Amino acid sequence: MLTQRIEEEVSVSGFGHKAIAYFQLLKFRLSLTIAFSCAIGYLLGSPERDWFQVFLVVIGGLLVTGAANIINQIIEKDHDKLMKRTAKRPLPTNALSRKEAAIFCIFLAVSGSVLMAVNFNLISAVFSLLSLILYGFVYTPLKRISPICVFVGAFPGAFPPLIGWVAATGVLSTEAWVLFGIQFIWQFPHFWAIAWVLDDDYKKAGFKMLPMAGGKNLKTAFQIMIYTLLLIPLGMLPLQLGMTGKTSAIIAVVCGVLFLMQTLYLMQTCSKKAAMNIMFGSFLYLPIVQIAYVLDKI
């Protein structure tokens, strides 16, 4: 009787550890951030705010993004073991096998794509799958080959608001591409700032993320500044297209200028502290501007 009880407790404990490991595979906070951008695109494109539909587009984005993250971790299992920030992920620690992760990945990818196709439209489902393919099978292996990986990775990273707009409207319009463009350009200062801060860790795995030879130098800082500068005129395009009002355009410009000032500090110092400021600044810029667009929608 005691032995049976112990075995049951061990079994329940083992199931709990597996469940936690599967959840960790999703990179939930990252996936939710991406899904949030899908919701922004949907809310901007939808004439009526159907919150159940918003919920569904978030779930669809969460499922497909989670699947893309799992592909990334399956491919990079051996490299993740070499880096401090990733060594304790489920695959490097063998909490889950590659086979278990692959089955979970397929389930998520199929579920998310079907949800987008059935509840919204085929175009949103196609772009969801395209995002997964580019991130998992193109961007991920490129990280160890060339800094061009950031350019390639910016495409799947910028598709979510476009997918949300298309899910709401059924049309791949200029407005959808403007939302894509803002998030596309934003990713360069965002990822390069992260790569600057984590450069030593990335080098252990052979990842080539910074754009210039030598990495953490004035040339890289200058490129970060240029892309951040582009966000200022881009942030005003939704107003020009009648997607939002003047208030959100002002907020976008102010946020863009503050963001730009952080990059000028990086150009002055080329320091890790300045890069970290840009990294945190990028985390704030995108949601503030996107929420402003939704609240100010005409």
Side-chain angles (χ1 to χ4, degrees), residues 176-257:
W177 287 112
V178 165
L179 294 175
F180 166 86
I182 293 169
Q183 194 148 314
F184 181 82
I185 295 299
W186 165 83
Q187 286 180 92
F188 291 92
H190 172 69
F191 276 112
W192 283 335
I194 292 173
W196 191 304
V197 171
L198 299 175
D199 187 51
D200 293 336
D201 219 18
Y202 280 154
K203 282 178 179 175
K204 293 175 186 176
F207 291 156
K208 300 173 181 179
M209 305 290 285
L210 289 170
M212 305 303 295
K216 298 181 288 186
N217 54 35
L218 181 58
K219 289 181 179 179
T220 293
F222 180 74
Q223 286 210 43
I224 291 173
M225 183 275 292
I226 291 297
Y227 280 95
T228 307
L229 180 63
L230 290 173
L231 284 173
I232 297 174
L234 277 173
M236 294 188 286
L237 284 179
L239 170 64
Q240 299 300 316
L241 293 172
M243 298 164 64
T244 59
K246 291 180 181 178
T247 302
S248 60
I250 293 169
I251 291 171
V253 170
V254 170
C255 288
V257 170

XYZ file of all heavy atoms in Angstrom, residues 176-257:
645
model
N -1.644 47.139 -43.782
C -1.014 45.945 -43.215
C 0.503 46.033 -43.349
O 1.245 45.706 -42.409
C -1.531 44.688 -43.919
N 0.958 46.506 -44.511
C 2.404 46.606 -44.740
C 3.043 47.725 -43.926
O 4.215 47.640 -43.556
C 2.684 46.797 -46.232
C 2.453 45.542 -47.024
C 1.478 45.310 -47.942
C 3.197 44.320 -46.919
N 1.556 44.028 -48.435
C 2.613 43.392 -47.828
C 4.287 43.904 -46.165
C 3.091 42.098 -47.991
C 4.769 42.599 -46.330
C 4.176 41.726 -47.232
N 2.289 48.770 -43.611
C 2.807 49.831 -42.740
C 3.040 49.285 -41.334
O 4.083 49.536 -40.714
C 1.838 51.033 -42.704
C 2.167 51.967 -41.538
C 1.908 51.796 -44.018
N 2.076 48.526 -40.821
C 2.240 47.900 -39.496
C 3.433 46.950 -39.508
O 4.217 46.897 -38.551
C 0.962 47.149 -39.108
C -0.277 48.013 -38.874
C -1.494 47.132 -38.610
C -0.055 48.977 -37.719
N 3.570 46.216 -40.597
C 4.721 45.327 -40.771
C 6.017 46.138 -40.769
O 6.987 45.783 -40.096
C 4.581 44.558 -42.087
C 5.842 43.860 -42.540
C 6.140 42.582 -42.081
C 6.737 44.484 -43.408
C 7.305 41.942 -42.499
C 7.897 43.859 -43.820
C 8.183 42.575 -43.363
N 6.031 47.248 -41.510
C 7.249 48.046 -41.658
C 7.746 48.631 -40.351
O 8.955 48.622 -40.076
N 6.820 49.122 -39.531
C 7.211 49.690 -38.233
C 7.880 48.628 -37.376
O 8.956 48.847 -36.801
C 5.984 50.279 -37.505
C 5.461 51.507 -38.266
C 6.329 50.636 -36.058
C 4.106 51.992 -37.793
N 7.251 47.451 -37.297
C 7.812 46.390 -36.459
C 9.080 45.802 -37.076
O 9.985 45.374 -36.346
C 6.765 45.286 -36.225
C 7.131 44.326 -35.098
C 5.922 43.787 -34.372
O 5.018 44.522 -34.033
N 5.910 42.486 -34.122
N 9.183 45.804 -38.389
C 10.370 45.307 -39.084
C 11.586 46.166 -38.739
O 12.634 45.654 -38.335
C 10.125 45.309 -40.591
C 11.266 44.795 -41.418
C 11.456 43.438 -41.591
C 12.152 45.675 -42.034
C 12.521 42.943 -42.359
C 13.211 45.197 -42.790
C 13.392 43.839 -42.957
N 11.457 47.479 -38.881
C 12.570 48.390 -38.605
C 12.923 48.403 -37.118
O 14.105 48.451 -36.748
C 12.229 49.818 -39.093
C 12.087 49.842 -40.620
C 13.284 50.819 -38.637
C 13.343 49.452 -41.381
N 11.916 48.322 -36.259
C 12.136 48.307 -34.806
C 13.056 47.161 -34.381
O 13.823 47.293 -33.425
C 10.783 48.188 -34.094
C 10.875 47.818 -32.650
C 11.100 48.660 -31.590
C 10.751 46.499 -32.087
N 11.112 47.952 -30.404
C 10.905 46.628 -30.682
C 10.514 45.239 -32.625
C 10.829 45.526 -29.818
C 10.441 44.151 -31.770
C 10.605 44.302 -30.387
N 12.994 46.048 -35.091
C 13.736 44.859 -34.661
C 15.251 45.008 -34.766
O 15.992 44.361 -34.024
C 13.279 43.638 -35.462
C 11.917 43.165 -35.006
C 11.449 41.972 -35.790
O 11.684 40.839 -35.398
N 10.807 42.230 -36.916
N 15.731 45.871 -35.637
C 17.181 46.018 -35.789
C 17.831 46.622 -34.544
O 18.770 46.024 -33.987
C 17.506 46.804 -37.061
C 17.191 46.040 -38.316
C 15.947 46.168 -38.929
C 18.104 45.161 -38.862
C 15.641 45.438 -40.070
C 17.815 44.428 -40.009
C 16.577 44.568 -40.612
N 17.374 47.789 -34.056
C 17.952 48.259 -32.793
C 17.668 47.323 -31.630
O 18.511 47.153 -30.745
C 17.286 49.630 -32.580
C 16.095 49.643 -33.467
C 16.433 48.775 -34.624
N 16.506 46.685 -31.659
C 16.131 45.765 -30.579
C 17.087 44.571 -30.506
O 17.697 44.303 -29.461
C 14.693 45.281 -30.811
C 14.250 44.194 -29.893
N 14.029 44.400 -28.541
C 13.990 42.871 -30.118
C 13.648 43.266 -27.975
N 13.623 42.330 -28.913
N 17.273 43.872 -31.624
C 18.103 42.666 -31.627
C 19.588 42.980 -31.513
O 20.340 42.249 -30.867
C 17.837 41.828 -32.885
C 16.662 40.918 -32.748
C 15.510 41.124 -33.486
C 16.691 39.847 -31.864
C 14.413 40.290 -33.358
C 15.603 39.009 -31.730
C 14.453 39.229 -32.479
N 20.022 44.064 -32.136
C 21.438 44.402 -32.044
C 21.817 44.860 -30.636
O 22.929 44.604 -30.186
C 21.792 45.472 -33.078
C 21.917 44.904 -34.471
C 22.224 43.614 -34.805
C 21.755 45.605 -35.698
N 22.251 43.461 -36.172
C 21.964 44.673 -36.755
C 21.440 46.921 -36.029
C 21.880 45.019 -38.098
C 21.346 47.280 -37.375
C 21.570 46.337 -38.397
N 20.881 45.519 -29.947
C 21.148 45.889 -28.549
C 21.268 44.640 -27.679
O 22.164 44.527 -26.831
C 20.039 46.796 -28.026
N 20.375 43.678 -27.898
C 20.440 42.404 -27.158
C 21.749 41.690 -27.478
O 22.427 41.170 -26.582
C 19.237 41.508 -27.507
C 17.936 42.121 -26.969
C 19.421 40.102 -26.934
C 16.683 41.397 -27.408
N 22.098 41.657 -28.760
C 23.334 40.986 -29.179
C 24.569 41.657 -28.582
O 25.552 40.989 -28.249
C 23.424 40.968 -30.707
N 24.526 42.972 -28.436
C 25.635 43.722 -27.819
C 25.784 43.303 -26.355
O 26.885 43.005 -25.889
C 25.353 45.218 -27.923
C 26.500 46.115 -27.580
C 27.218 46.144 -26.415
C 27.089 47.137 -28.417
N 28.189 47.108 -26.453
C 28.133 47.741 -27.672
C 26.814 47.619 -29.691
C 28.899 48.788 -28.177
C 27.587 48.656 -30.191
C 28.615 49.225 -29.454
N 24.652 43.278 -25.643
C 24.669 42.934 -24.208
C 25.103 41.481 -23.991
O 25.855 41.174 -23.061
C 23.270 43.175 -23.595
C 23.200 42.628 -22.164
C 22.931 44.665 -23.609
N 24.644 40.588 -24.875
C 24.910 39.152 -24.704
C 26.018 38.640 -25.619
O 26.120 37.437 -25.858
C 23.619 38.354 -24.970
C 22.436 38.652 -24.052
C 21.207 37.879 -24.509
C 22.766 38.304 -22.608
N 26.848 39.531 -26.110
C 27.863 39.174 -27.105
C 28.780 38.036 -26.643
O 29.055 37.099 -27.399
C 28.700 40.404 -27.455
C 29.667 40.144 -28.601
O 29.218 39.644 -29.649
O 30.861 40.434 -28.441
N 29.251 38.100 -25.408
C 30.164 37.064 -24.902
C 29.491 35.699 -24.878
O 30.102 34.684 -25.235
C 30.662 37.426 -23.493
C 31.558 38.658 -23.503
O 32.142 38.947 -24.569
O 31.668 39.330 -22.457
N 28.222 35.670 -24.461
C 27.468 34.416 -24.413
C 27.219 33.886 -25.823
O 27.356 32.687 -26.090
C 26.138 34.650 -23.684
C 25.767 33.474 -22.780
O 26.657 32.666 -22.451
O 24.592 33.367 -22.391
N 26.845 34.771 -26.738
C 26.593 34.362 -28.117
C 27.849 33.791 -28.775
O 27.778 32.831 -29.559
C 26.089 35.545 -28.944
C 24.616 35.859 -28.768
C 24.126 37.143 -28.985
C 23.706 34.878 -28.411
C 22.780 37.439 -28.833
C 22.359 35.159 -28.258
C 21.903 36.444 -28.465
O 20.571 36.723 -28.321
N 28.999 34.372 -28.465
C 30.251 33.894 -29.060
C 30.561 32.451 -28.659
O 31.158 31.698 -29.426
C 31.408 34.811 -28.666
C 31.444 36.110 -29.466
C 32.579 37.007 -29.003
C 32.628 38.299 -29.830
N 33.648 39.234 -29.324
N 30.148 32.055 -27.452
C 30.371 30.684 -26.990
C 29.670 29.679 -27.893
O 30.136 28.558 -28.080
C 29.858 30.515 -25.552
C 30.638 31.294 -24.512
C 29.983 31.147 -23.145
C 30.645 32.034 -22.103
N 29.940 31.965 -20.799
N 28.516 30.085 -28.439
C 27.752 29.193 -29.317
C 28.031 29.457 -30.786
O 27.457 28.800 -31.661
C 26.263 29.363 -29.037
N 28.892 30.427 -31.072
C 29.236 30.728 -32.457
C 28.187 31.536 -33.190
O 28.155 31.554 -34.426
N 27.315 32.250 -32.451
C 26.275 33.053 -33.089
C 26.850 34.386 -33.563
O 27.568 35.063 -32.825
C 25.120 33.311 -32.117
C 24.319 32.077 -31.775
C 23.600 32.011 -30.599
C 24.283 30.986 -32.624
C 22.864 30.897 -30.272
C 23.556 29.848 -32.311
C 22.838 29.812 -31.131
N 26.496 34.752 -34.808
C 26.998 35.988 -35.413
C 25.826 36.950 -35.607
O 25.173 36.951 -36.646
C 27.677 35.675 -36.752
C 28.861 34.719 -36.587
C 29.422 34.285 -37.924
C 30.579 33.307 -37.736
N 31.137 32.832 -39.021
N 25.578 37.774 -34.581
C 24.385 38.612 -34.574
C 24.668 40.089 -34.854
O 23.836 40.775 -35.437
C 23.687 38.488 -33.209
C 23.358 37.062 -32.796
S 22.058 36.315 -33.784
C 20.623 37.134 -33.128
N 25.820 40.586 -34.423
C 26.132 41.999 -34.625
C 26.543 42.259 -36.073
O 27.188 41.411 -36.696
C 27.226 42.440 -33.656
C 26.787 42.534 -32.184
C 27.990 42.739 -31.272
C 25.779 43.654 -31.988
N 26.205 43.431 -36.609
C 26.355 43.654 -38.050
C 27.772 43.888 -38.544
O 28.083 43.636 -39.702
C 25.502 44.909 -38.296
C 25.533 45.633 -36.992
C 25.559 44.565 -35.937
N 28.643 44.409 -37.686
C 29.965 44.801 -38.155
C 31.051 43.902 -37.592
O 30.922 43.352 -36.499
C 30.269 46.249 -37.725
C 29.218 47.258 -38.171
S 28.938 47.282 -39.964
C 30.526 47.846 -40.537
N 32.138 43.748 -38.331
C 33.301 43.009 -37.844
C 33.828 43.704 -36.593
O 33.975 44.917 -36.566
C 34.384 42.969 -38.917
N 34.096 42.935 -35.579
C 34.533 43.533 -34.322
C 33.376 43.772 -33.383
O 33.550 43.957 -32.189
N 32.166 43.799 -33.953
C 30.951 43.800 -33.135
C 30.651 45.087 -32.414
O 30.044 45.992 -32.983
N 31.095 45.196 -31.193
C 30.694 46.295 -30.311
C 31.545 47.539 -30.577
O 32.482 47.831 -29.837
C 30.795 45.840 -28.859
C 29.863 44.678 -28.531
C 29.943 44.256 -27.083
C 31.230 43.532 -26.765
N 31.254 42.994 -25.398
N 31.213 48.257 -31.648
C 32.005 49.429 -32.024
C 31.107 50.540 -32.549
O 29.875 50.394 -32.618
C 33.055 49.039 -33.077
C 32.431 48.356 -34.288
O 31.324 48.696 -34.700
N 33.130 47.391 -34.855
N 31.714 51.642 -32.933
C 30.966 52.814 -33.374
C 30.156 52.531 -34.641
O 29.049 53.059 -34.809
C 31.928 53.984 -33.612
C 31.299 55.304 -34.070
C 30.265 55.807 -33.065
C 32.386 56.358 -34.309
N 30.696 51.712 -35.542
C 29.975 51.408 -36.781
C 28.655 50.688 -36.496
O 27.630 50.974 -37.118
C 30.854 50.555 -37.701
C 32.029 51.319 -38.305
C 32.845 50.427 -39.224
C 34.005 51.184 -39.855
N 34.831 50.326 -40.740
N 28.697 49.744 -35.555
C 27.472 49.045 -35.157
C 26.507 50.022 -34.490
O 25.305 50.023 -34.778
C 27.793 47.888 -34.198
O 28.533 46.887 -34.909
C 26.528 47.261 -33.647
N 27.022 50.864 -33.595
C 26.191 51.860 -32.908
C 25.537 52.805 -33.917
O 24.366 53.190 -33.755
C 27.034 52.641 -31.908
N 26.277 53.166 -34.969
C 25.746 54.061 -36.004
C 24.588 53.396 -36.751
O 23.562 54.028 -37.026
C 26.855 54.446 -36.983
C 26.405 55.368 -38.082
C 26.156 56.715 -37.820
C 26.221 54.896 -39.379
C 25.727 57.571 -38.831
C 25.798 55.741 -40.388
C 25.548 57.085 -40.119
N 24.732 52.114 -37.064
C 23.654 51.393 -37.740
C 22.410 51.320 -36.866
O 21.284 51.467 -37.348
C 24.112 49.974 -38.115
C 25.070 49.947 -39.289
C 24.953 48.661 -40.091
O 23.856 48.181 -40.363
N 26.076 48.101 -40.457
N 22.615 51.078 -35.574
C 21.484 51.053 -34.641
C 20.767 52.397 -34.650
O 19.535 52.474 -34.665
C 21.973 50.690 -33.216
C 22.438 49.229 -33.167
C 20.859 50.925 -32.181
C 23.096 48.829 -31.862
N 21.548 53.482 -34.671
C 20.977 54.824 -34.680
C 20.159 55.073 -35.952
O 19.051 55.614 -35.898
C 22.104 55.860 -34.555
C 21.609 57.310 -34.468
S 21.297 58.084 -36.086
C 22.970 58.201 -36.731
N 20.671 54.669 -37.101
C 19.992 54.899 -38.382
C 18.629 54.225 -38.405
O 17.618 54.826 -38.806
C 20.860 54.412 -39.564
C 22.095 55.293 -39.740
C 20.042 54.373 -40.859
C 21.777 56.742 -40.082
N 18.570 52.963 -37.985
C 17.285 52.244 -37.987
C 16.309 52.862 -36.992
O 15.097 52.925 -37.251
C 17.500 50.760 -37.679
C 17.969 49.976 -38.880
C 19.325 49.738 -39.105
C 17.054 49.481 -39.810
C 19.759 49.021 -40.214
C 17.480 48.761 -40.924
C 18.836 48.531 -41.114
O 19.256 47.836 -42.221
N 16.816 53.323 -35.859
C 15.954 53.977 -34.864
C 15.418 55.294 -35.414
O 14.243 55.640 -35.208
C 16.730 54.213 -33.556
O 17.320 52.990 -33.130
C 15.801 54.714 -32.460
N 16.252 56.026 -36.125
C 15.838 57.284 -36.752
C 14.684 57.056 -37.733
O 13.748 57.860 -37.816
C 17.032 57.915 -37.469
C 16.807 59.241 -38.189
C 16.414 60.332 -37.199
C 18.068 59.654 -38.953
N 14.732 55.955 -38.475
C 13.680 55.640 -39.453
C 12.322 55.424 -38.798
O 11.278 55.604 -39.439
C 14.066 54.391 -40.251
C 15.222 54.534 -41.242
C 15.597 53.178 -41.820
C 14.860 55.508 -42.355
N 12.327 55.039 -37.519
C 11.064 54.792 -36.827
C 10.232 56.067 -36.670
O 9.003 55.996 -36.552
C 11.325 54.189 -35.446
C 11.721 52.711 -35.409
C 12.116 52.309 -33.991
C 10.594 51.828 -35.919
N 10.892 57.222 -36.659
C 10.166 58.476 -36.435
C 9.205 58.784 -37.596
O 8.003 58.960 -37.365
C 11.143 59.640 -36.162
C 11.923 59.358 -34.858
C 10.384 60.957 -36.061
C 13.017 60.358 -34.554
N 9.673 58.835 -38.862
C 8.700 59.051 -39.945
C 7.736 57.876 -40.121
O 6.560 58.077 -40.456
C 9.587 59.236 -41.183
C 10.907 58.628 -40.833
C 11.063 58.829 -39.371
N 8.223 56.665 -39.906
C 7.341 55.493 -40.038
C 6.193 55.552 -39.035
O 5.058 55.165 -39.348
C 8.138 54.204 -39.824
C 8.910 53.644 -41.016
C 9.767 52.458 -40.577
C 7.954 53.208 -42.126
N 6.490 56.040 -37.844
C 5.471 56.106 -36.800
C 4.324 57.041 -37.135
O 3.241 56.942 -36.535
N 4.535 57.962 -38.104
C 3.482 58.902 -38.489
C 2.618 58.395 -39.651
O 1.579 58.984 -39.956
C 4.112 60.250 -38.874
C 4.771 60.957 -37.693
S 5.316 62.636 -38.102
C 6.770 62.266 -39.120
N 3.041 57.311 -40.292
C 2.297 56.809 -41.448
C 0.865 56.371 -41.126
O -0.042 56.608 -41.936
C 3.068 55.655 -42.101
C 4.279 56.054 -42.949
C 4.959 54.816 -43.523
C 3.857 56.992 -44.082
N 0.613 55.722 -39.972
C -0.787 55.366 -39.669
C -1.722 56.571 -39.656
O -2.891 56.456 -40.049
C -0.689 54.709 -38.280
C 0.674 54.102 -38.261
C 1.542 55.106 -38.992
N -1.229 57.730 -39.219
C -2.039 58.951 -39.267
C -2.309 59.350 -40.718
O -3.446 59.688 -41.087
C -1.318 60.086 -38.535
C -1.933 61.489 -38.692
C -3.327 61.539 -38.088
C -1.032 62.549 -38.066
N -1.277 59.297 -41.558
C -1.420 59.684 -42.967
C -2.420 58.796 -43.706
O -3.108 59.255 -44.626
C -0.055 59.617 -43.667
C 1.006 60.542 -43.077
C 0.602 61.994 -43.124
O 0.095 62.468 -44.137
N 0.807 62.721 -42.023
N -2.521 57.547 -43.287
C -3.432 56.604 -43.943
C -4.814 56.575 -43.298
O -5.675 55.795 -43.701
C -2.827 55.196 -43.922
C -1.566 54.998 -44.768
C -0.960 53.622 -44.516
C -1.888 55.169 -46.258
N -5.005 57.393 -42.269
C -6.308 57.442 -41.611
C -6.579 56.277 -40.686
O -7.729 56.029 -40.308
N -5.539 55.564 -40.305
C -5.712 54.414 -39.411
C -5.881 54.869 -37.963
O -6.531 54.203 -37.166
C -4.494 53.489 -39.510
C -4.273 52.892 -40.877
S -2.598 52.189 -41.047
C -2.639 50.862 -39.832
N -5.235 55.975 -37.612
C -5.248 56.486 -36.250
C -5.337 58.010 -36.285
O -5.364 58.606 -37.360
C -3.962 56.094 -35.488
O -2.831 56.630 -36.184
C -3.805 54.592 -35.382
N -5.328 58.630 -35.093
C -5.428 60.082 -35.014
C -4.112 60.758 -34.697
O -3.051 60.120 -34.631
N -4.178 62.062 -34.455
C -2.979 62.870 -34.233
C -2.299 62.551 -32.900
O -1.077 62.621 -32.795
C -3.335 64.358 -34.278
C -3.735 64.852 -35.658
C -4.067 66.337 -35.635
C -4.491 66.818 -37.026
N -4.869 68.256 -37.007
N -3.097 62.217 -31.893
C -2.523 61.973 -30.563
C -1.511 60.840 -30.592
O -0.405 60.959 -30.055
C -3.633 61.648 -29.540
O -4.560 62.730 -29.498
C -3.044 61.434 -28.150
N -1.887 59.731 -31.234
C -0.975 58.584 -31.292
C 0.243 58.889 -32.156
O 1.339 58.382 -31.898
C -1.695 57.335 -31.815
O -2.209 57.555 -33.116
N 0.078 59.730 -33.178
C 1.214 60.119 -34.015
C 2.224 60.914 -33.186
O 3.439 60.709 -33.303
C 0.742 60.940 -35.209
N 1.711 61.812 -32.341
C 2.590 62.587 -31.458
C 3.316 61.666 -30.486
O 4.526 61.801 -30.257
C 1.782 63.659 -30.695
C 1.267 64.724 -31.678
C 2.629 64.306 -29.600
C 0.249 65.669 -31.074
N 2.574 60.708 -29.919
C 3.177 59.748 -28.981
C 4.270 58.943 -29.681
O 5.352 58.725 -29.132
C 2.102 58.813 -28.391
C 1.177 59.604 -27.460
C 2.745 57.641 -27.635
C -0.042 58.843 -26.998
N 3.992 58.516 -30.919
C 4.974 57.734 -31.678
C 6.236 58.546 -31.946
O 7.353 58.027 -31.837
C 4.360 57.266 -32.999
N 6.063 59.824 -32.277
C 7.226 60.684 -32.544
C 8.027 60.916 -31.266
O 9.268 60.825 -31.270
C 6.783 62.027 -33.150
C 7.948 63.019 -33.190
C 6.230 61.820 -34.561
N 7.345 61.213 -30.174
C 8.038 61.447 -28.900
C 8.810 60.198 -28.470
O 9.983 60.276 -28.082
C 7.038 61.868 -27.798
C 7.702 61.862 -26.424
C 6.466 63.246 -28.097
N 8.148 59.045 -28.556
C 8.820 57.786 -28.203
C 10.005 57.529 -29.127
O 11.060 57.054 -28.691
C 7.832 56.619 -28.278
S 6.617 56.595 -26.953
N 9.829 57.837 -30.415
C 10.912 57.660 -31.373
C 12.112 58.542 -31.062
O 13.267 58.097 -31.146
N 11.850 59.787 -30.682
C 12.939 60.718 -30.345
C 13.668 60.251 -29.086
O 14.910 60.272 -29.026
C 12.389 62.145 -30.161
C 13.454 63.064 -29.565
C 11.895 62.697 -31.492
